[in-house]
Amino acid sequence: MADIAKKRETLTANGTQLAFVSMAKEDKAKEFFAQYGVEDLPRFSDPKKKLYQEFGLETGSFTQVLGVKSFVRGLAILKHGIGTPVGDVWQMPGTFLLHKGKILQAFINENVSDVPDYEGMVCEIG
């Protein structure tokens, strides 16, 4: 989230609208997103993980969620703090660029620690 918050201006410069899906209820989600200064952006609460399923995001394995790669990246982001997990901690994330109801770009994480090239994704329609 820190990466997106830092790149927000660049990502939205061409008219791209950022939005988030989380398993958290609205009060917890607002608190989380406020930590990064993006609480004003649209977000969708999906505790039953229906959107995750529709976008093909699966439950991760032990290695995908807690493996060495994710652990090392986790150490690098400790400066942001660790909050209480909300929802299914095994749910794999993804990032999608939608335009007129169609997925133009999809980044489906292989590990929870993977980070997409956000700018590269939005430049596709710029």
Side-chain angles (χ1 to χ4, degrees), residues 61-77 92 107-116:
S61 68
F62 181 86
T63 304
Q64 289 175 300
V65 176
L66 298 172
V68 173
K69 184 177 179 184
S70 296
F71 179 75
V72 170
R73 173 127 170 100
L75 289 175
I77 62 171
M92 294 298 291
F107 181 89
I108 297 177
N109 291 53
E110 290 185 30
N111 295 288
V112 294
S113 59
D114 293 343
V115 179

Short mmCIF file of all heavy atoms in Angstrom, two decimals, residues 61-77 92 107-116:
data_model
loop_
_atom_site.label_atom_id
_atom_site.label_comp_id
_atom_site.label_asym_id
_atom_site.label_seq_id
_atom_site.Cartn_x
_atom_site.Cartn_y
_atom_site.Cartn_z
N SER A 61 -0.52 -21.11 -0.80
CA SER A 61 0.11 -22.20 -0.06
C SER A 61 0.98 -21.61 1.05
O SER A 61 1.21 -20.40 1.10
CB SER A 61 0.98 -23.03 -1.00
OG SER A 61 2.11 -22.26 -1.43
N PHE A 62 1.49 -22.46 1.91
CA PHE A 62 2.38 -22.01 2.97
C PHE A 62 3.56 -21.25 2.39
O PHE A 62 3.92 -20.18 2.86
CB PHE A 62 2.87 -23.22 3.79
CG PHE A 62 3.78 -22.83 4.92
CD1 PHE A 62 3.26 -22.46 6.15
CD2 PHE A 62 5.15 -22.81 4.75
CE1 PHE A 62 4.08 -22.07 7.19
CE2 PHE A 62 6.00 -22.43 5.79
CZ PHE A 62 5.46 -22.06 7.02
N THR A 63 4.17 -21.78 1.33
CA THR A 63 5.34 -21.15 0.71
C THR A 63 4.99 -19.80 0.10
O THR A 63 5.76 -18.86 0.20
CB THR A 63 5.94 -22.08 -0.37
OG1 THR A 63 6.23 -23.33 0.24
CG2 THR A 63 7.18 -21.50 -0.97
N GLN A 64 3.84 -19.70 -0.54
CA GLN A 64 3.43 -18.44 -1.16
C GLN A 64 3.20 -17.34 -0.13
O GLN A 64 3.45 -16.17 -0.39
CB GLN A 64 2.16 -18.63 -1.98
CG GLN A 64 2.36 -19.41 -3.25
CD GLN A 64 1.05 -19.67 -3.94
OE1 GLN A 64 0.16 -20.30 -3.39
NE2 GLN A 64 0.92 -19.15 -5.16
N VAL A 65 2.71 -17.71 1.03
CA VAL A 65 2.35 -16.72 2.06
C VAL A 65 3.48 -16.51 3.06
O VAL A 65 3.78 -15.38 3.43
CB VAL A 65 1.04 -17.13 2.78
CG1 VAL A 65 0.71 -16.17 3.90
CG2 VAL A 65 -0.11 -17.21 1.77
N LEU A 66 4.12 -17.59 3.49
CA LEU A 66 5.13 -17.48 4.55
C LEU A 66 6.51 -17.99 4.14
O LEU A 66 7.35 -18.20 5.00
CB LEU A 66 4.65 -18.28 5.78
CG LEU A 66 3.36 -17.77 6.42
CD1 LEU A 66 2.88 -18.73 7.50
CD2 LEU A 66 3.55 -16.38 7.00
N GLY A 67 6.73 -18.15 2.85
CA GLY A 67 8.02 -18.63 2.36
C GLY A 67 9.14 -17.62 2.52
O GLY A 67 8.92 -16.48 2.94
N VAL A 68 10.34 -18.03 2.15
CA VAL A 68 11.53 -17.20 2.31
C VAL A 68 11.39 -15.86 1.59
O VAL A 68 11.69 -14.81 2.15
CB VAL A 68 12.79 -17.95 1.81
CG1 VAL A 68 14.00 -17.04 1.81
CG2 VAL A 68 13.03 -19.17 2.67
N LYS A 69 10.92 -15.89 0.34
CA LYS A 69 10.78 -14.65 -0.43
C LYS A 69 9.85 -13.66 0.28
O LYS A 69 10.16 -12.48 0.40
CB LYS A 69 10.25 -14.96 -1.83
CG LYS A 69 10.17 -13.77 -2.74
CD LYS A 69 9.73 -14.15 -4.12
CE LYS A 69 9.62 -12.93 -4.99
NZ LYS A 69 9.11 -13.22 -6.31
N SER A 70 8.72 -14.15 0.75
CA SER A 70 7.77 -13.28 1.44
C SER A 70 8.33 -12.81 2.78
O SER A 70 8.13 -11.66 3.18
CB SER A 70 6.44 -14.01 1.66
OG SER A 70 5.86 -14.29 0.40
N PHE A 71 9.06 -13.68 3.46
CA PHE A 71 9.65 -13.33 4.75
C PHE A 71 10.67 -12.21 4.58
O PHE A 71 10.67 -11.23 5.33
CB PHE A 71 10.31 -14.56 5.39
CG PHE A 71 10.97 -14.27 6.70
CD1 PHE A 71 10.21 -14.08 7.85
CD2 PHE A 71 12.34 -14.15 6.79
CE1 PHE A 71 10.81 -13.81 9.07
CE2 PHE A 71 12.96 -13.87 8.00
CZ PHE A 71 12.19 -13.70 9.13
N VAL A 72 11.53 -12.32 3.56
CA VAL A 72 12.56 -11.30 3.31
C VAL A 72 11.91 -9.96 2.98
O VAL A 72 12.29 -8.93 3.51
CB VAL A 72 13.53 -11.75 2.20
CG1 VAL A 72 14.45 -10.62 1.77
CG2 VAL A 72 14.34 -12.95 2.67
N ARG A 73 10.91 -9.97 2.12
CA ARG A 73 10.20 -8.72 1.79
C ARG A 73 9.50 -8.17 3.03
O ARG A 73 9.46 -6.97 3.26
CB ARG A 73 9.20 -8.94 0.66
CG ARG A 73 8.33 -7.71 0.41
CD ARG A 73 8.33 -7.28 -1.01
NE ARG A 73 7.31 -6.28 -1.24
CZ ARG A 73 7.57 -4.97 -1.32
NH1 ARG A 73 8.79 -4.53 -1.21
NH2 ARG A 73 6.59 -4.11 -1.53
N GLY A 74 8.95 -9.06 3.85
CA GLY A 74 8.29 -8.66 5.08
C GLY A 74 9.23 -7.91 6.00
O GLY A 74 8.85 -6.93 6.65
N LEU A 75 10.47 -8.35 6.06
CA LEU A 75 11.46 -7.66 6.88
C LEU A 75 11.70 -6.25 6.37
O LEU A 75 11.87 -5.32 7.16
CB LEU A 75 12.79 -8.43 6.90
CG LEU A 75 12.80 -9.74 7.68
CD1 LEU A 75 14.15 -10.44 7.50
CD2 LEU A 75 12.50 -9.52 9.14
N ALA A 76 11.68 -6.09 5.06
CA ALA A 76 11.92 -4.78 4.46
C ALA A 76 10.77 -3.81 4.73
O ALA A 76 10.98 -2.60 4.78
CB ALA A 76 12.13 -4.93 2.95
N ILE A 77 9.56 -4.33 4.93
CA ILE A 77 8.43 -3.43 5.13
C ILE A 77 8.01 -3.31 6.59
O ILE A 77 7.02 -2.67 6.91
CB ILE A 77 7.20 -3.85 4.27
CG1 ILE A 77 6.71 -5.24 4.65
CG2 ILE A 77 7.51 -3.76 2.80
CD1 ILE A 77 5.40 -5.62 4.00
N MET A 92 -4.58 -14.93 -1.76
CA MET A 92 -3.57 -14.30 -2.60
C MET A 92 -4.14 -13.02 -3.21
O MET A 92 -5.30 -12.96 -3.60
CB MET A 92 -3.12 -15.25 -3.71
CG MET A 92 -2.39 -16.48 -3.18
SD MET A 92 -0.87 -16.09 -2.30
CE MET A 92 0.15 -15.51 -3.64
N PHE A 107 -2.20 -8.67 -12.87
CA PHE A 107 -1.01 -9.13 -12.16
C PHE A 107 -1.52 -9.98 -11.01
O PHE A 107 -2.08 -9.46 -10.05
CB PHE A 107 -0.17 -7.96 -11.64
CG PHE A 107 1.08 -8.41 -10.92
CD1 PHE A 107 2.25 -8.61 -11.63
CD2 PHE A 107 1.07 -8.66 -9.56
CE1 PHE A 107 3.41 -9.04 -10.97
CE2 PHE A 107 2.20 -9.08 -8.90
CZ PHE A 107 3.38 -9.28 -9.61
N ILE A 108 -1.36 -11.28 -11.14
CA ILE A 108 -1.79 -12.20 -10.10
C ILE A 108 -0.54 -12.66 -9.37
O ILE A 108 0.35 -13.28 -9.96
CB ILE A 108 -2.59 -13.38 -10.69
CG1 ILE A 108 -3.86 -12.84 -11.34
CG2 ILE A 108 -2.90 -14.41 -9.60
CD1 ILE A 108 -4.71 -13.88 -12.03
N ASN A 109 -0.47 -12.31 -8.10
CA ASN A 109 0.72 -12.62 -7.31
C ASN A 109 1.00 -14.11 -7.26
O ASN A 109 0.10 -14.91 -7.07
CB ASN A 109 0.53 -12.12 -5.87
CG ASN A 109 0.52 -10.62 -5.77
OD1 ASN A 109 -0.23 -9.95 -6.46
ND2 ASN A 109 1.36 -10.09 -4.90
N GLU A 110 2.29 -14.46 -7.42
CA GLU A 110 2.72 -15.82 -7.18
C GLU A 110 3.08 -16.00 -5.71
O GLU A 110 2.98 -17.10 -5.18
CB GLU A 110 3.91 -16.16 -8.07
CG GLU A 110 3.52 -16.28 -9.53
CD GLU A 110 4.67 -16.74 -10.41
OE1 GLU A 110 5.54 -17.48 -9.93
OE2 GLU A 110 4.68 -16.34 -11.59
N ASN A 111 3.52 -14.91 -5.08
CA ASN A 111 3.80 -14.86 -3.65
C ASN A 111 3.13 -13.59 -3.12
O ASN A 111 2.99 -12.62 -3.85
CB ASN A 111 5.31 -14.77 -3.37
CG ASN A 111 6.03 -16.02 -3.80
OD1 ASN A 111 5.90 -17.07 -3.17
ND2 ASN A 111 6.77 -15.94 -4.89
N VAL A 112 2.76 -13.59 -1.84
CA VAL A 112 2.11 -12.40 -1.31
C VAL A 112 3.02 -11.19 -1.38
O VAL A 112 2.54 -10.05 -1.40
CB VAL A 112 1.61 -12.60 0.15
CG1 VAL A 112 0.50 -13.62 0.19
CG2 VAL A 112 2.72 -12.94 1.09
N SER A 113 4.31 -11.41 -1.46
CA SER A 113 5.27 -10.31 -1.46
C SER A 113 5.54 -9.71 -2.84
O SER A 113 6.23 -8.70 -2.95
CB SER A 113 6.59 -10.79 -0.86
OG SER A 113 7.10 -11.87 -1.63
N ASP A 114 5.00 -10.30 -3.89
CA ASP A 114 5.24 -9.79 -5.24
C ASP A 114 4.65 -8.38 -5.39
O ASP A 114 3.58 -8.09 -4.85
CB ASP A 114 4.60 -10.70 -6.29
CG ASP A 114 5.25 -12.06 -6.37
OD1 ASP A 114 6.38 -12.22 -5.86
OD2 ASP A 114 4.63 -12.98 -6.92
N VAL A 115 5.35 -7.55 -6.14
CA VAL A 115 4.90 -6.17 -6.36
C VAL A 115 4.82 -5.93 -7.87
O VAL A 115 5.82 -6.07 -8.57
CB VAL A 115 5.86 -5.14 -5.72
CG1 VAL A 115 5.38 -3.73 -5.98
CG2 VAL A 115 6.01 -5.40 -4.23
N PRO A 116 3.65 -5.58 -8.38
CA PRO A 116 3.53 -5.32 -9.82
C PRO A 116 4.18 -4.01 -10.22
O PRO A 116 4.46 -3.15 -9.38
CB PRO A 116 2.02 -5.27 -10.04
CG PRO A 116 1.46 -4.88 -8.72
CD PRO A 116 2.39 -5.42 -7.67
#
